[in-house]
Amino acid sequence: MRRTKWLALGMAMAPFAAQAEAPDDAGEVMAAASIVVTGTGLSLPPGTPAYGSVVIDRDRLEDAASGRIESVLADVAGFQQFRRSDSRASNPSNQGATLRALGGNASSRTLVLLDGVPVADPFFGYIPFSALVPDRLALVRVTRGGGSGAFGAGAVAGTIELASATRDQMPHFGASAFYGSRDATELSASIAPDLGSGYVSLSGRWDRGDGFQTTPRDQRVAATVPAAYDSWSTNLRAVAPIDATSEIQFRGTLFQDNRTLRFAGADSVSQGQDASIRYISRGRWQVDALAYLQARNFSNIVISSTSFRKSLDQRNTPSTGIGGKIELRPPVGADHVLRIGVDTRFATGDMFEDAYNAGLATNPLTSRRHAGGDQISSGIFAEDDWTIGKLVLTGGVRADRWSIRNGFYKAVSAAGLVTQDSSYANRSDWAFSGRAGALYHVSDAVALRGAVYSGFRLPTLNELYRPFVVFPITTQANAALKPEKLKGVEGGIDLTPAPGVQLSATLFYNRLDDAIANVTIATNTRQRQNVNAIVAKGVELTASAQLPANFSLLASYAYSHSEVDAPGMAFDGFAPAQVPRHSASATLAWAPKAGPELSATLRYTAKQYEDDLQSDVLPDALTLDALARLPIGHGISLIARGENLFDEDIVTRNAGGSIDLGTPRTLWIGVRFGQ
């Protein structure tokens, strides 16, 4: 970890070094042309709307009642995590993101990018949502459906692109302080000074709370405790110009997230040190090149639900992710936007854990376990967007060479005797994927679109080598897992019937072959296995409207008919675990140019099943969130927020009647300053 931190610090100095080493050249460029630093990536190709993206803007990001990115993403119907809990009351390793009802999975089936950099944990594949602070972002773009382009190997269910706030969106100094139910506090501050022709932004956030009882009252025991949390994150971003058309962007993030779940002593800690550097050129030959480094760790203690003693201490799970890409856009004429490039991702990780006999009062150590391995995926891609009058054709292909190697699992008894020592054969192969789409502007008010796509996802090191227990269920790892492969097709229509009104409808069909699922193989025992396929089809509706009297409406609905294709298996034809058939979200806001602002968000999630055999149901849930803002001058606003105002019981886990609940009614009051 120490070496990683020094490397991150070295990368942090790169933008300033680039500026300091050639002051004369920089002066000559400024004399010749005006330097405009944006801090963004390259512009979107014209064919992007063919894939039906949904954009969440900065105003919405700043008005989330929970202040957390995962609840904002729920504005896009069809987005789901493995469980319904947010990042205050869920085990971090459960925070996988997926789209389009392809099955709940603790590892993300959706590629999540921050300024072009994949953010998923290198070992587990989960998303560190607590480190992705909405106030730091300019926008979020969600594309449902398999993707190509850079890092497309991970976009089997779609892509979520997060873009950092630009200089003109950030106050020179900003701060906020909130106090909430159950002695919760949320503090944040940021500073964004200009630095020469560039700028630097430094932000930090700390939030903590005593937490709510995730256990229903009739299931609580003396050892039951609320889901306390304590997390912090800091982010440094610097943008420095090289000349009038190119710039260097650096980002460094440090975070730590501490949680306690269900029982006293059931503590988890996730932490990370991430750094990336990006070169953007908007000249005649456009270039987007980046390199990134992730150093992550995770620890977790499992408490027995019968003896309430420690049964497992997953004391150390260090992992490292290294990667990068180069994308070129050569000048090929005004009607074409051609992108060619290469990218690579390397992940390595180890799991160290100790098992204990929780049935004995002495709680003795029974076994020490060590597992891990390496993964690498390198791809070459090409995409082109061709504009022919009102028609835009877009298409791309990828070829990826992947390998899984150095996998092992070793267990040693308390007496030092080796009880298992398994080394797994190295594997490698090629994977080919692509997508194609068409966008036709029938008129200014009507656009038709269609797309076909394919993609794949490698099993994570966690899925391959780490078993886990959520009492009373044991889930076994499976070192023989194959990559998941997706094929999909969709068609849609976008309408603008009046100024400020946008409507969209999409029909889709996706088939995920060799889908990785937790399959019941015995009583209270599951194993990660490839099932033949998950087939998902449905409709997605979105709407946004600027209404009279300063009102606005955002709405989204998804109907998904998803089922497992597993001939000869007990769950053949069943709905995948953790997948609702209906989900909907609607936000109504009142925001006059001056004065108070109000917004309310209503969300509905239909029932879903906990497991592959549909034996345990998670009932449907309807929640209402709200926010009120009162500007009082000089950049200061008073803000009141409310989560789950109906105080709906949200069942997030049901294992044979053992229940966990999600966030109850939570109220916040606070102040925000920006100048």
Side-chain angles (χ1 to χ4, degrees), residues 388-407:
I388 314 169
K390 295 182 177 181
L391 175 66
V392 180
L393 301 177
T394 178
V397 293
R398 277 188 65 93
D400 285 271
R401 179 67 177 178
W402 61 265
S403 65
I404 299 172
R405 57 194 186 193
N406 302 324

Side-chain angles (χ1 to χ4, degrees), residues 178-186 208-209 229 641 666-670:
F178 288 87
Y179 182 78
S181 304
R182 297 170 290 278
D183 199 27
T185 56
E186 178 190 303
R208 63 154 307 280
Y229 64 95
R641 307 185 326 212
T666 302
L667 304 178
W668 298 87
I669 187 70

Side-chain angles (χ1 to χ4, degrees), residues 186-538:
E186 178 190 303
L187 304 175
S188 65
S190 65
I191 185 170
D194 293 325
L195 185 65
S197 298
Y199 65 89
V200 173
S201 66
L202 177 64
S203 60
R205 171 165 152 164
W206 171 59
D207 55 354
R208 63 154 307 280
D210 291 344
F212 61 90
Q213 290 282 1
T214 61
T215 307
R217 187 176 299 276
D218 60 357
Q219 295 184 8
R220 296 174 195 168
V221 296
T224 303
V225 296
Y229 64 95
D230 191 331
S231 64
W232 60 265
S233 69
T234 61
N235 188 78
L236 172 67
R237 189 162 189 260
V239 179
I242 297 175
D243 56 34
T245 60
S246 61
E247 63 192 42
I248 290 284
Q249 304 172 8
F250 165 81
R251 181 177 54 82
T253 302
L254 307 177
F255 67 88
Q256 182 166 310
D257 191 345
N258 305 274
R259 307 181 199 177
T260 299
L261 301 177
R262 197 173 177 91
F263 299 119
D267 302 325
S268 68
V269 180
S270 60
Q271 56 184 317
Q273 302 90 39
D274 294 2
S276 65
I277 190 165
R278 189 181 193 185
Y279 169 75
I280 297 290
S281 174
R282 302 179 180 88
R284 187 166 180 268
W285 278 75
Q286 297 185 48
V287 181
D288 184 352
L290 68 85
Y292 70 87
L293 172 68
Q294 301 166 324
R296 305 284 181 85
N297 206 339
F298 175 77
S299 62
N300 183 54
I301 295 175
V302 179
I303 299 296
S304 167
S305 62
T306 54
S307 68
F308 312 111
R309 303 186 186 99
K310 180 167 57 178
S311 62
L312 183 68
D313 182 0
Q314 189 179 342
R315 52 188 171 83
N316 195 20
T317 316
S319 62
T320 301
I322 302 173
K325 78 158 186 178
I326 299 176
E327 177 183 322
L328 303 177
R329 297 187 182 181
V332 290
D335 295 336
H336 287 269
V337 177
L338 175 64
R339 290 158 286 159
I340 54 176
V342 295
D343 61 67
T344 187
R345 286 190 285 179
F346 171 76
T348 183
D350 292 85
M351 177 274 291
F352 299 89
E353 64 181 25
D354 300 334
Y356 293 83
N357 187 338
L360 298 178
T362 55
N363 203 193
L365 174 72
T366 59
S367 178
R368 295 189 185 275
R369 303 163 184 164
H370 181 200
D374 304 328
Q375 284 184 337
I376 187 167
S377 175
S378 299
I380 181 170
F381 62 90
E383 290 200 82
D384 183 56
D385 291 44
W386 184 14
T387 302
I388 314 169
K390 295 182 177 181
L391 175 66
V392 180
L393 301 177
T394 178
V397 293
R398 277 188 65 93
D400 285 271
R401 179 67 177 178
W402 61 265
S403 65
I404 299 172
R405 57 194 186 193
N406 302 324
F408 68 94
Y409 181 90
K410 184 175 182 178
V412 179
S413 70
L417 298 176
V418 176
T419 57
Q420 182 176 345
D421 190 357
S422 300
S423 296
Y424 304 106
N426 294 343
R427 294 184 282 154
S428 61
D429 203 352
W430 283 92
F432 300 92
S433 56
R435 63 179 180 177
L439 175 68
Y440 181 65
H441 296 279
V442 179
S443 67
D444 292 340
V446 180
L448 302 177
R449 53 184 165 80
V452 295
Y453 41 77
S454 62
F456 82 103
R457 180 185 76 90
L458 290 178
T460 64
L461 299 174
N462 175 60
E463 292 170 318
L464 291 165
Y465 307 125
R466 172 188 166 259
F468 69 96
V469 178
V470 179
F471 190 87
I473 307 297
T474 297
T475 301
Q476 300 174 353
N478 184 352
L481 289 172
K482 297 181 290 186
E484 298 179 331
K485 299 179 290 292
L486 177 89
K487 298 181 182 68
V489 60
E490 65 182 70
I493 183 171
D494 300 322
L495 303 175
T496 309
V501 178
Q502 295 180 321
L503 307 173
S504 177
T506 303
L507 296 173
F508 69 90
Y509 176 92
N510 285 181
R511 179 183 176 91
L512 185 65
D513 291 314
D514 294 322
I516 297 171
N518 296 331
V519 176
T520 301
I521 58 175
T523 302
N524 292 335
T525 303
R526 298 174 186 163
Q527 184 186 47
R528 299 185 183 101
Q529 293 184 6
N530 292 107
V531 302
N532 186 53
I534 291 174
V535 178
K537 50 192 174 184

Side-chain angles (χ1 to χ4, degrees), residues 83-106:
R83 299 198 183 279
R84 295 173 172 179
S85 303
D86 67 25
S87 56
R88 294 166 293 189
S90 173
N91 190 292
S93 63
N94 284 338
Q95 294 175 180
T98 193
L99 296 161
R100 284 198 167 156
L102 289 175
N105 194 316

Side-chain angles (χ1 to χ4, degrees), residues 16-42:
F16 311 108
Q19 207 172 18
E21 288 174 359
D24 295 336
D25 292 343
E28 290 172 3
V29 171
M30 284 188 285
S34 175
I35 292 180
V36 178
V37 171
T38 68
T40 62
L42 297 179

Side-chain angles (χ1 to χ4, degrees), residues 77-80 98-104 109 144 157 508 510 512 534-538 540 558-564 575-583:
F79 167 82
Q80 67 175 114
T98 193
L99 296 161
R100 284 198 167 156
L102 289 175
R109 287 192 168 114
R144 295 171 285 200
F508 69 90
N510 285 181
L512 185 65
I534 291 174
V535 178
K537 50 192 174 184
E540 298 157 345
Y559 168 79
S560 305
H561 186 277
S562 184
E563 63 182 24
V564 180
Q578 308 292 333
V579 171
R581 184 156 290 189
H582 303 271
S583 60

